[in-house]
PDB file of all heavy atoms in Angstrom:
ATOM      1  N   GLU R   3      -3.856  13.756  12.333  1.00  0.00           N
ATOM      2  CA  GLU R   3      -4.693  12.693  11.888  1.00  0.00           C
ATOM      3  C   GLU R   3      -3.885  11.416  11.776  1.00  0.00           C
ATOM      4  O   GLU R   3      -2.736  11.390  11.751  1.00  0.00           O
ATOM      5  CB  GLU R   3      -5.489  13.017  10.619  1.00  0.00           C
ATOM      6  CG  GLU R   3      -4.612  13.070   9.362  1.00  0.00           C
ATOM      7  CD  GLU R   3      -5.396  13.359   8.194  1.00  0.00           C
ATOM      8  OE1 GLU R   3      -6.609  13.473   8.217  1.00  0.00           O
ATOM      9  OE2 GLU R   3      -4.813  13.168   6.994  1.00  0.00           O
ATOM     10  N   GLY R   4      -4.673  10.181  11.727  1.00  0.00           N
ATOM     11  CA  GLY R   4      -3.853   8.975  11.538  1.00  0.00           C
ATOM     12  C   GLY R   4      -3.708   8.404  12.947  1.00  0.00           C
ATOM     13  O   GLY R   4      -4.450   8.693  13.961  1.00  0.00           O
ATOM     14  N   GLY R   5      -2.627   7.581  13.007  1.00  0.00           N
ATOM     15  CA  GLY R   5      -2.236   6.968  14.302  1.00  0.00           C
ATOM     16  C   GLY R   5      -2.711   5.531  14.308  1.00  0.00           C
ATOM     17  O   GLY R   5      -3.532   5.021  13.511  1.00  0.00           O
ATOM     18  N   ARG R   6      -2.401   4.769  15.410  1.00  0.00           N
ATOM     19  CA  ARG R   6      -2.838   3.311  15.581  1.00  0.00           C
ATOM     20  C   ARG R   6      -4.412   3.442  15.833  1.00  0.00           C
ATOM     21  O   ARG R   6      -4.902   4.270  16.496  1.00  0.00           O
ATOM     22  CB  ARG R   6      -2.058   2.705  16.690  1.00  0.00           C
ATOM     23  CG  ARG R   6      -2.479   1.316  16.962  1.00  0.00           C
ATOM     24  CD  ARG R   6      -1.694   0.665  18.105  1.00  0.00           C
ATOM     25  NE  ARG R   6      -1.582   1.399  19.291  1.00  0.00           N
ATOM     26  CZ  ARG R   6      -2.475   1.523  20.238  1.00  0.00           C
ATOM     27  NH1 ARG R   6      -3.574   0.838  20.258  1.00  0.00           N
ATOM     28  NH2 ARG R   6      -2.288   2.128  21.241  1.00  0.00           N
ATOM     29  N   GLY R   7      -4.991   2.489  15.019  1.00  0.00           N
ATOM     30  CA  GLY R   7      -6.482   2.463  15.186  1.00  0.00           C
ATOM     31  C   GLY R   7      -7.322   3.367  14.642  1.00  0.00           C
ATOM     32  O   GLY R   7      -8.437   3.647  14.925  1.00  0.00           O
ATOM     33  N   SER R   8      -6.822   4.273  13.650  1.00  0.00           N
ATOM     34  CA  SER R   8      -7.533   5.430  13.120  1.00  0.00           C
ATOM     35  C   SER R   8      -8.673   4.832  12.197  1.00  0.00           C
ATOM     36  O   SER R   8      -8.743   3.678  11.963  1.00  0.00           O
ATOM     37  CB  SER R   8      -6.694   6.332  12.298  1.00  0.00           C
ATOM     38  OG  SER R   8      -6.206   5.683  11.094  1.00  0.00           O
ATOM     39  N   ILE R   9      -9.611   5.687  11.717  1.00  0.00           N
ATOM     40  CA  ILE R   9     -10.613   5.242  10.970  1.00  0.00           C
ATOM     41  C   ILE R   9     -10.202   4.446   9.718  1.00  0.00           C
ATOM     42  O   ILE R   9     -10.775   3.593   9.212  1.00  0.00           O
ATOM     43  CB  ILE R   9     -11.511   6.477  10.567  1.00  0.00           C
ATOM     44  CG1 ILE R   9     -12.052   7.074  11.857  1.00  0.00           C
ATOM     45  CG2 ILE R   9     -12.694   6.090   9.653  1.00  0.00           C
ATOM     46  CD1 ILE R   9     -12.842   8.423  11.495  1.00  0.00           C
ATOM     47  N   GLN R  10      -9.014   5.018   9.166  1.00  0.00           N
ATOM     48  CA  GLN R  10      -8.481   4.278   7.979  1.00  0.00           C
ATOM     49  C   GLN R  10      -7.527   3.173   8.360  1.00  0.00           C
ATOM     50  O   GLN R  10      -6.809   2.728   7.444  1.00  0.00           O
ATOM     51  CB  GLN R  10      -7.644   5.327   7.178  1.00  0.00           C
ATOM     52  CG  GLN R  10      -8.468   6.571   6.651  1.00  0.00           C
ATOM     53  CD  GLN R  10      -8.471   7.637   7.506  1.00  0.00           C
ATOM     54  OE1 GLN R  10      -7.656   7.848   8.538  1.00  0.00           O
ATOM     55  NE2 GLN R  10      -9.422   8.585   7.532  1.00  0.00           N
ATOM     56  N   GLY R  11      -7.445   2.754   9.654  1.00  0.00           N
ATOM     57  CA  GLY R  11      -6.559   1.737   9.944  1.00  0.00           C
ATOM     58  C   GLY R  11      -5.228   2.323  10.613  1.00  0.00           C
ATOM     59  O   GLY R  11      -5.230   3.540  10.831  1.00  0.00           O
ATOM     60  N   ASP R  12      -4.291   1.493  10.802  1.00  0.00           N
ATOM     61  CA  ASP R  12      -3.054   1.900  11.509  1.00  0.00           C
ATOM     62  C   ASP R  12      -2.323   2.750  10.369  1.00  0.00           C
ATOM     63  O   ASP R  12      -1.972   2.166   9.385  1.00  0.00           O
ATOM     64  CB  ASP R  12      -2.251   0.776  11.880  1.00  0.00           C
ATOM     65  CG  ASP R  12      -2.811   0.017  13.144  1.00  0.00           C
ATOM     66  OD1 ASP R  12      -3.749   0.593  13.668  1.00  0.00           O
ATOM     67  OD2 ASP R  12      -2.554  -1.059  13.518  1.00  0.00           O
ATOM     68  N   ARG R  13      -2.204   4.060  10.669  1.00  0.00           N
ATOM     69  CA  ARG R  13      -1.503   4.905   9.658  1.00  0.00           C
ATOM     70  C   ARG R  13      -0.467   5.783  10.443  1.00  0.00           C
ATOM     71  O   ARG R  13      -0.676   6.004  11.721  1.00  0.00           O
ATOM     72  CB  ARG R  13      -2.480   5.841   9.100  1.00  0.00           C
ATOM     73  CG  ARG R  13      -3.675   4.992   8.588  1.00  0.00           C
ATOM     74  CD  ARG R  13      -4.272   5.285   7.335  1.00  0.00           C
ATOM     75  NE  ARG R  13      -3.457   5.737   6.269  1.00  0.00           N
ATOM     76  CZ  ARG R  13      -3.844   5.779   5.016  1.00  0.00           C
ATOM     77  NH1 ARG R  13      -5.042   5.541   4.913  1.00  0.00           N
ATOM     78  NH2 ARG R  13      -3.174   6.354   4.047  1.00  0.00           N
ATOM     79  N   PRO R  14       0.404   6.351   9.854  1.00  0.00           N
ATOM     80  CA  PRO R  14       1.355   7.279  10.395  1.00  0.00           C
ATOM     81  C   PRO R  14       0.616   8.596  10.944  1.00  0.00           C
ATOM     82  O   PRO R  14      -0.446   8.952  10.394  1.00  0.00           O
ATOM     83  CB  PRO R  14       2.186   7.805   9.199  1.00  0.00           C
ATOM     84  CG  PRO R  14       2.211   6.701   8.242  1.00  0.00           C
ATOM     85  CD  PRO R  14       0.737   6.176   8.331  1.00  0.00           C
ATOM     86  N   LEU R  15       1.107   9.205  12.017  1.00  0.00           N
ATOM     87  CA  LEU R  15       0.465  10.344  12.532  1.00  0.00           C
ATOM     88  C   LEU R  15       0.922  11.574  11.652  1.00  0.00           C
ATOM     89  O   LEU R  15       2.158  11.601  11.506  1.00  0.00           O
ATOM     90  CB  LEU R  15       0.980  10.597  13.983  1.00  0.00           C
ATOM     91  CG  LEU R  15       0.224   9.876  15.002  1.00  0.00           C
ATOM     92  CD1 LEU R  15       0.981   9.739  16.248  1.00  0.00           C
ATOM     93  CD2 LEU R  15      -1.173  10.433  15.180  1.00  0.00           C
ATOM     94  N   VAL R  16       0.055  12.325  11.051  1.00  0.00           N
ATOM     95  CA  VAL R  16       0.215  13.182  10.034  1.00  0.00           C
ATOM     96  C   VAL R  16      -0.307  14.650  10.535  1.00  0.00           C
ATOM     97  O   VAL R  16      -1.411  14.658  11.050  1.00  0.00           O
ATOM     98  CB  VAL R  16      -0.200  12.806   8.635  1.00  0.00           C
ATOM     99  CG1 VAL R  16       0.047  13.871   7.665  1.00  0.00           C
ATOM    100  CG2 VAL R  16       0.548  11.625   8.252  1.00  0.00           C
ATOM    101  N   ILE R  17       0.355  15.664  10.295  1.00  0.00           N
ATOM    102  CA  ILE R  17      -0.206  17.033  10.497  1.00  0.00           C
ATOM    103  C   ILE R  17      -1.156  17.277   9.465  1.00  0.00           C
ATOM    104  O   ILE R  17      -0.818  17.392   8.214  1.00  0.00           O
ATOM    105  CB  ILE R  17       0.931  18.034  10.524  1.00  0.00           C
ATOM    106  CG1 ILE R  17       1.746  17.851  11.671  1.00  0.00           C
ATOM    107  CG2 ILE R  17       0.347  19.486  10.664  1.00  0.00           C
ATOM    108  CD1 ILE R  17       3.163  18.671  11.902  1.00  0.00           C
ATOM    109  N   ASN R  18      -2.473  17.525   9.868  1.00  0.00           N
ATOM    110  CA  ASN R  18      -3.411  17.759   8.863  1.00  0.00           C
ATOM    111  C   ASN R  18      -3.874  19.187   8.746  1.00  0.00           C
ATOM    112  O   ASN R  18      -4.680  19.645   7.770  1.00  0.00           O
ATOM    113  CB  ASN R  18      -4.536  16.758   8.962  1.00  0.00           C
ATOM    114  CG  ASN R  18      -5.504  17.060  10.182  1.00  0.00           C
ATOM    115  OD1 ASN R  18      -4.977  17.459  11.149  1.00  0.00           O
ATOM    116  ND2 ASN R  18      -6.750  16.762  10.041  1.00  0.00           N
ATOM    117  N   ARG R  19      -3.610  19.956   9.836  1.00  0.00           N
ATOM    118  CA  ARG R  19      -3.947  21.437   9.849  1.00  0.00           C
ATOM    119  C   ARG R  19      -2.930  22.223  10.518  1.00  0.00           C
ATOM    120  O   ARG R  19      -2.446  21.850  11.457  1.00  0.00           O
ATOM    121  CB  ARG R  19      -5.293  21.554  10.365  1.00  0.00           C
ATOM    122  CG  ARG R  19      -5.968  22.928  10.127  1.00  0.00           C
ATOM    123  CD  ARG R  19      -7.426  22.807  10.327  1.00  0.00           C
ATOM    124  NE  ARG R  19      -7.913  24.005  10.605  1.00  0.00           N
ATOM    125  CZ  ARG R  19      -8.881  24.488  11.493  1.00  0.00           C
ATOM    126  NH1 ARG R  19      -9.383  23.522  12.110  1.00  0.00           N
ATOM    127  NH2 ARG R  19      -9.217  25.796  11.545  1.00  0.00           N
ATOM    128  N   ILE R  20      -2.483  23.348   9.997  1.00  0.00           N
ATOM    129  CA  ILE R  20      -1.770  24.302  10.672  1.00  0.00           C
ATOM    130  C   ILE R  20      -2.512  25.635  10.952  1.00  0.00           C
ATOM    131  O   ILE R  20      -3.102  26.133  10.061  1.00  0.00           O
ATOM    132  CB  ILE R  20      -0.511  24.607   9.714  1.00  0.00           C
ATOM    133  CG1 ILE R  20       0.325  23.447   9.265  1.00  0.00           C
ATOM    134  CG2 ILE R  20       0.449  25.711  10.363  1.00  0.00           C
ATOM    135  CD1 ILE R  20       1.306  22.868  10.261  1.00  0.00           C
ATOM    136  N   PHE R  21      -2.449  26.036  12.214  1.00  0.00           N
ATOM    137  CA  PHE R  21      -3.259  27.106  12.519  1.00  0.00           C
ATOM    138  C   PHE R  21      -2.487  28.439  12.306  1.00  0.00           C
ATOM    139  O   PHE R  21      -1.314  28.557  12.602  1.00  0.00           O
ATOM    140  CB  PHE R  21      -3.634  27.044  13.963  1.00  0.00           C
ATOM    141  CG  PHE R  21      -4.482  25.753  14.413  1.00  0.00           C
ATOM    142  CD1 PHE R  21      -3.851  24.897  15.334  1.00  0.00           C
ATOM    143  CD2 PHE R  21      -5.616  25.591  13.685  1.00  0.00           C
ATOM    144  CE1 PHE R  21      -4.581  23.798  15.642  1.00  0.00           C
ATOM    145  CE2 PHE R  21      -6.376  24.506  13.965  1.00  0.00           C
ATOM    146  CZ  PHE R  21      -5.774  23.522  14.852  1.00  0.00           C
ATOM    147  N   LYS R  22      -3.128  29.403  11.619  1.00  0.00           N
ATOM    148  CA  LYS R  22      -2.613  30.613  11.235  1.00  0.00           C
ATOM    149  C   LYS R  22      -1.915  31.426  12.441  1.00  0.00           C
ATOM    150  O   LYS R  22      -2.599  31.451  13.485  1.00  0.00           O
ATOM    151  CB  LYS R  22      -3.605  31.554  10.650  1.00  0.00           C
ATOM    152  CG  LYS R  22      -3.974  31.266   9.223  1.00  0.00           C
ATOM    153  CD  LYS R  22      -3.057  31.808   8.230  1.00  0.00           C
ATOM    154  CE  LYS R  22      -3.386  31.628   6.839  1.00  0.00           C
ATOM    155  NZ  LYS R  22      -2.308  31.069   6.041  1.00  0.00           N
ATOM    156  N   GLY R  23      -0.633  31.758  12.261  1.00  0.00           N
ATOM    157  CA  GLY R  23       0.113  32.574  13.257  1.00  0.00           C
ATOM    158  C   GLY R  23       0.500  31.713  14.406  1.00  0.00           C
ATOM    159  O   GLY R  23       1.113  32.236  15.424  1.00  0.00           O
ATOM    160  N   GLY R  24       0.316  30.447  14.554  1.00  0.00           N
ATOM    161  CA  GLY R  24       0.660  29.571  15.644  1.00  0.00           C
ATOM    162  C   GLY R  24       2.187  29.267  15.548  1.00  0.00           C
ATOM    163  O   GLY R  24       2.808  29.549  14.381  1.00  0.00           O
ATOM    164  N   ALA R  25       2.580  28.543  16.576  1.00  0.00           N
ATOM    165  CA  ALA R  25       3.966  28.030  16.679  1.00  0.00           C
ATOM    166  C   ALA R  25       4.378  27.161  15.511  1.00  0.00           C
ATOM    167  O   ALA R  25       5.444  27.292  14.944  1.00  0.00           O
ATOM    168  CB  ALA R  25       4.332  27.387  18.092  1.00  0.00           C
ATOM    169  N   ALA R  26       3.437  26.219  15.039  1.00  0.00           N
ATOM    170  CA  ALA R  26       3.836  25.388  14.058  1.00  0.00           C
ATOM    171  C   ALA R  26       4.133  26.084  12.748  1.00  0.00           C
ATOM    172  O   ALA R  26       4.958  25.738  11.903  1.00  0.00           O
ATOM    173  CB  ALA R  26       2.690  24.349  13.763  1.00  0.00           C
ATOM    174  N   GLU R  27       3.302  26.972  12.389  1.00  0.00           N
ATOM    175  CA  GLU R  27       3.471  27.907  11.165  1.00  0.00           C
ATOM    176  C   GLU R  27       4.746  28.591  11.170  1.00  0.00           C
ATOM    177  O   GLU R  27       5.421  28.599  10.216  1.00  0.00           O
ATOM    178  CB  GLU R  27       2.230  28.792  10.976  1.00  0.00           C
ATOM    179  CG  GLU R  27       2.440  29.545   9.654  1.00  0.00           C
ATOM    180  CD  GLU R  27       1.225  30.612   9.506  1.00  0.00           C
ATOM    181  OE1 GLU R  27       0.967  31.399  10.431  1.00  0.00           O
ATOM    182  OE2 GLU R  27       0.642  30.582   8.377  1.00  0.00           O
ATOM    183  N   GLN R  28       5.138  29.170  12.312  1.00  0.00           N
ATOM    184  CA  GLN R  28       6.230  30.076  12.568  1.00  0.00           C
ATOM    185  C   GLN R  28       7.506  29.167  12.344  1.00  0.00           C
ATOM    186  O   GLN R  28       8.536  29.607  11.992  1.00  0.00           O
ATOM    187  CB  GLN R  28       6.236  30.834  13.766  1.00  0.00           C
ATOM    188  CG  GLN R  28       5.151  31.835  13.890  1.00  0.00           C
ATOM    189  CD  GLN R  28       4.941  32.456  15.126  1.00  0.00           C
ATOM    190  OE1 GLN R  28       5.727  32.214  16.087  1.00  0.00           O
ATOM    191  NE2 GLN R  28       3.881  33.206  15.292  1.00  0.00           N
ATOM    192  N   SER R  29       7.453  27.861  12.699  1.00  0.00           N
ATOM    193  CA  SER R  29       8.705  27.063  12.729  1.00  0.00           C
ATOM    194  C   SER R  29       8.714  26.281  11.357  1.00  0.00           C
ATOM    195  O   SER R  29       9.754  25.493  11.182  1.00  0.00           O
ATOM    196  CB  SER R  29       8.531  25.983  13.894  1.00  0.00           C
ATOM    197  OG  SER R  29       7.501  25.135  13.680  1.00  0.00           O
ATOM    198  N   GLY R  30       7.923  26.507  10.400  1.00  0.00           N
ATOM    199  CA  GLY R  30       7.913  26.070   9.117  1.00  0.00           C
ATOM    200  C   GLY R  30       7.316  24.539   8.873  1.00  0.00           C
ATOM    201  O   GLY R  30       7.442  23.994   7.865  1.00  0.00           O
ATOM    202  N   LEU R  31       6.590  24.086   9.886  1.00  0.00           N
ATOM    203  CA  LEU R  31       5.816  22.818   9.654  1.00  0.00           C
ATOM    204  C   LEU R  31       4.735  23.012   8.635  1.00  0.00           C
ATOM    205  O   LEU R  31       4.323  24.174   8.360  1.00  0.00           O
ATOM    206  CB  LEU R  31       5.194  22.376  11.035  1.00  0.00           C
ATOM    207  CG  LEU R  31       6.207  21.969  12.136  1.00  0.00           C
ATOM    208  CD1 LEU R  31       5.465  21.708  13.366  1.00  0.00           C
ATOM    209  CD2 LEU R  31       6.912  20.737  11.734  1.00  0.00           C
ATOM    210  N   ARG R  32       4.399  21.914   7.954  1.00  0.00           N
ATOM    211  CA  ARG R  32       3.532  21.906   6.792  1.00  0.00           C
ATOM    212  C   ARG R  32       2.410  20.808   6.949  1.00  0.00           C
ATOM    213  O   ARG R  32       2.754  19.724   7.628  1.00  0.00           O
ATOM    214  CB  ARG R  32       4.227  21.635   5.449  1.00  0.00           C
ATOM    215  CG  ARG R  32       5.264  22.683   5.156  1.00  0.00           C
ATOM    216  CD  ARG R  32       5.847  22.201   3.817  1.00  0.00           C
ATOM    217  NE  ARG R  32       7.141  22.762   3.661  1.00  0.00           N
ATOM    218  CZ  ARG R  32       8.015  22.294   2.711  1.00  0.00           C
ATOM    219  NH1 ARG R  32       7.731  21.332   1.999  1.00  0.00           N
ATOM    220  NH2 ARG R  32       9.189  22.889   2.561  1.00  0.00           N
ATOM    221  N   CYS R  33       1.289  21.073   6.390  1.00  0.00           N
ATOM    222  CA  CYS R  33       0.293  19.894   6.408  1.00  0.00           C
ATOM    223  C   CYS R  33       0.913  18.784   5.604  1.00  0.00           C
ATOM    224  O   CYS R  33       1.658  18.938   4.572  1.00  0.00           O
ATOM    225  CB  CYS R  33      -0.983  20.469   5.692  1.00  0.00           C
ATOM    226  SG  CYS R  33      -1.857  21.614   6.562  1.00  0.00           S
ATOM    227  N   GLY R  34       0.657  17.675   6.067  1.00  0.00           N
ATOM    228  CA  GLY R  34       1.299  16.421   5.437  1.00  0.00           C
ATOM    229  C   GLY R  34       2.444  15.887   6.044  1.00  0.00           C
ATOM    230  O   GLY R  34       2.896  14.811   5.767  1.00  0.00           O
ATOM    231  N   ASP R  35       3.189  16.761   6.918  1.00  0.00           N
ATOM    232  CA  ASP R  35       4.391  16.249   7.601  1.00  0.00           C
ATOM    233  C   ASP R  35       3.968  15.095   8.483  1.00  0.00           C
ATOM    234  O   ASP R  35       2.959  15.258   9.299  1.00  0.00           O
ATOM    235  CB  ASP R  35       5.056  17.391   8.486  1.00  0.00           C
ATOM    236  CG  ASP R  35       5.691  18.566   7.576  1.00  0.00           C
ATOM    237  OD1 ASP R  35       5.959  18.193   6.436  1.00  0.00           O
ATOM    238  OD2 ASP R  35       5.968  19.523   8.149  1.00  0.00           O
ATOM    239  N   GLU R  36       4.836  14.012   8.485  1.00  0.00           N
ATOM    240  CA  GLU R  36       4.496  13.001   9.461  1.00  0.00           C
ATOM    241  C   GLU R  36       5.311  13.148  10.700  1.00  0.00           C
ATOM    242  O   GLU R  36       6.417  13.462  10.720  1.00  0.00           O
ATOM    243  CB  GLU R  36       5.106  11.652   8.766  1.00  0.00           C
ATOM    244  CG  GLU R  36       4.832  10.485   9.624  1.00  0.00           C
ATOM    245  CD  GLU R  36       5.431   9.190   8.909  1.00  0.00           C
ATOM    246  OE1 GLU R  36       5.726   9.220   7.841  1.00  0.00           O
ATOM    247  OE2 GLU R  36       5.547   8.217   9.792  1.00  0.00           O
ATOM    248  N   LEU R  37       4.629  13.120  11.843  1.00  0.00           N
ATOM    249  CA  LEU R  37       5.134  13.265  13.152  1.00  0.00           C
ATOM    250  C   LEU R  37       5.744  12.043  13.709  1.00  0.00           C
ATOM    251  O   LEU R  37       4.978  11.185  13.891  1.00  0.00           O
ATOM    252  CB  LEU R  37       4.135  14.000  14.033  1.00  0.00           C
ATOM    253  CG  LEU R  37       4.619  14.467  15.365  1.00  0.00           C
ATOM    254  CD1 LEU R  37       5.681  15.652  15.311  1.00  0.00           C
ATOM    255  CD2 LEU R  37       3.454  15.143  16.048  1.00  0.00           C
ATOM    256  N   LEU R  38       7.094  11.952  13.822  1.00  0.00           N
ATOM    257  CA  LEU R  38       7.718  10.613  14.235  1.00  0.00           C
ATOM    258  C   LEU R  38       8.038  10.682  15.768  1.00  0.00           C
ATOM    259  O   LEU R  38       7.901   9.677  16.444  1.00  0.00           O
ATOM    260  CB  LEU R  38       8.954  10.617  13.407  1.00  0.00           C
ATOM    261  CG  LEU R  38       8.929  10.470  12.026  1.00  0.00           C
ATOM    262  CD1 LEU R  38      10.298  10.398  11.304  1.00  0.00           C
ATOM    263  CD2 LEU R  38       8.056   9.211  11.558  1.00  0.00           C
ATOM    264  N   GLN R  39       8.614  11.735  16.245  1.00  0.00           N
ATOM    265  CA  GLN R  39       8.893  11.827  17.727  1.00  0.00           C
ATOM    266  C   GLN R  39       8.525  13.167  18.187  1.00  0.00           C
ATOM    267  O   GLN R  39       8.731  14.192  17.497  1.00  0.00           O
ATOM    268  CB  GLN R  39      10.504  11.630  17.788  1.00  0.00           C
ATOM    269  CG  GLN R  39      11.048  10.305  17.555  1.00  0.00           C
ATOM    270  CD  GLN R  39      12.554  10.265  17.867  1.00  0.00           C
ATOM    271  OE1 GLN R  39      13.072  11.172  18.370  1.00  0.00           O
ATOM    272  NE2 GLN R  39      13.092   9.215  17.261  1.00  0.00           N
ATOM    273  N   VAL R  40       8.326  13.233  19.585  1.00  0.00           N
ATOM    274  CA  VAL R  40       8.205  14.530  20.250  1.00  0.00           C
ATOM    275  C   VAL R  40       9.037  14.463  21.543  1.00  0.00           C
ATOM    276  O   VAL R  40       8.893  13.413  22.295  1.00  0.00           O
ATOM    277  CB  VAL R  40       6.747  14.669  20.749  1.00  0.00           C
ATOM    278  CG1 VAL R  40       6.588  15.931  21.567  1.00  0.00           C
ATOM    279  CG2 VAL R  40       5.775  14.822  19.443  1.00  0.00           C
ATOM    280  N   MET R  41      10.018  15.311  21.707  1.00  0.00           N
ATOM    281  CA  MET R  41      10.915  15.336  22.771  1.00  0.00           C
ATOM    282  C   MET R  41      11.560  13.929  22.924  1.00  0.00           C
ATOM    283  O   MET R  41      11.741  13.422  24.091  1.00  0.00           O
ATOM    284  CB  MET R  41      10.188  15.872  24.120  1.00  0.00           C
ATOM    285  CG  MET R  41       9.652  17.252  23.928  1.00  0.00           C
ATOM    286  SD  MET R  41      10.808  18.516  23.637  1.00  0.00           S
ATOM    287  CE  MET R  41      11.527  18.639  25.326  1.00  0.00           C
ATOM    288  N   GLY R  42      12.047  13.240  21.867  1.00  0.00           N
ATOM    289  CA  GLY R  42      12.781  12.084  21.949  1.00  0.00           C
ATOM    290  C   GLY R  42      11.841  10.750  22.178  1.00  0.00           C
ATOM    291  O   GLY R  42      12.329   9.739  22.085  1.00  0.00           O
ATOM    292  N   VAL R  43      10.500  11.094  22.248  1.00  0.00           N
ATOM    293  CA  VAL R  43       9.673   9.887  22.395  1.00  0.00           C
ATOM    294  C   VAL R  43       8.962   9.553  21.027  1.00  0.00           C
ATOM    295  O   VAL R  43       8.397  10.464  20.325  1.00  0.00           O
ATOM    296  CB  VAL R  43       8.503  10.179  23.478  1.00  0.00           C
ATOM    297  CG1 VAL R  43       7.504   9.089  23.559  1.00  0.00           C
ATOM    298  CG2 VAL R  43       9.101  10.660  24.814  1.00  0.00           C
ATOM    299  N   SER R  44       9.086   8.343  20.674  1.00  0.00           N
ATOM    300  CA  SER R  44       8.534   7.733  19.445  1.00  0.00           C
ATOM    301  C   SER R  44       7.118   7.765  19.463  1.00  0.00           C
ATOM    302  O   SER R  44       6.414   7.250  20.501  1.00  0.00           O
ATOM    303  CB  SER R  44       9.106   6.462  19.083  1.00  0.00           C
ATOM    304  OG  SER R  44       8.470   5.853  17.970  1.00  0.00           O
ATOM    305  N   LEU R  45       6.478   8.193  18.337  1.00  0.00           N
ATOM    306  CA  LEU R  45       4.931   8.118  18.256  1.00  0.00           C
ATOM    307  C   LEU R  45       4.469   6.942  17.447  1.00  0.00           C
ATOM    308  O   LEU R  45       3.377   6.767  17.142  1.00  0.00           O
ATOM    309  CB  LEU R  45       4.464   9.430  17.699  1.00  0.00           C
ATOM    310  CG  LEU R  45       4.829  10.732  18.477  1.00  0.00           C
ATOM    311  CD1 LEU R  45       4.214  11.990  17.740  1.00  0.00           C
ATOM    312  CD2 LEU R  45       4.340  10.782  19.887  1.00  0.00           C
ATOM    313  N   HIS R  46       5.427   6.113  17.104  1.00  0.00           N
ATOM    314  CA  HIS R  46       5.280   5.029  16.121  1.00  0.00           C
ATOM    315  C   HIS R  46       3.984   4.238  16.335  1.00  0.00           C
ATOM    316  O   HIS R  46       3.157   3.908  15.492  1.00  0.00           O
ATOM    317  CB  HIS R  46       6.362   4.043  16.102  1.00  0.00           C
ATOM    318  CG  HIS R  46       6.284   2.891  15.250  1.00  0.00           C
ATOM    319  ND1 HIS R  46       5.957   2.996  13.866  1.00  0.00           N
ATOM    320  CD2 HIS R  46       5.970   1.599  15.581  1.00  0.00           C
ATOM    321  CE1 HIS R  46       5.853   1.773  13.375  1.00  0.00           C
ATOM    322  NE2 HIS R  46       5.821   0.831  14.417  1.00  0.00           N
TER     323      HIS R  46
END
């Protein structure tokens, strides 16, 4: 959720849901974590 132009305005991209048994849960990601980069590409 979030991002540029979101309903709440320009906000950081945040993980709002972790799916049970998925890769994110297994790697220790949590709801509320702000996602800054993916494979070296900024999501700013």
Side-chain angles (χ1 to χ4, degrees):
E3 70 178 7
R6 183 174 46 81
S8 76
I9 299 172
Q10 300 91 17
D12 293 346
R13 311 224 32 169
L15 281 161
V16 175
I17 295 173
N18 70 331
R19 195 162 160 219
I20 302 282
F21 302 118
K22 284 274 184 227
E27 183 182 52
Q28 293 172 9
S29 65
L31 290 171
R32 301 182 202 158
C33 289
D35 287 347
E36 180 183 348
L37 192 55
L38 303 173
Q39 291 181 13
V40 175
M41 299 299 286
V43 177
S44 172
L45 305 181
H46 173 70

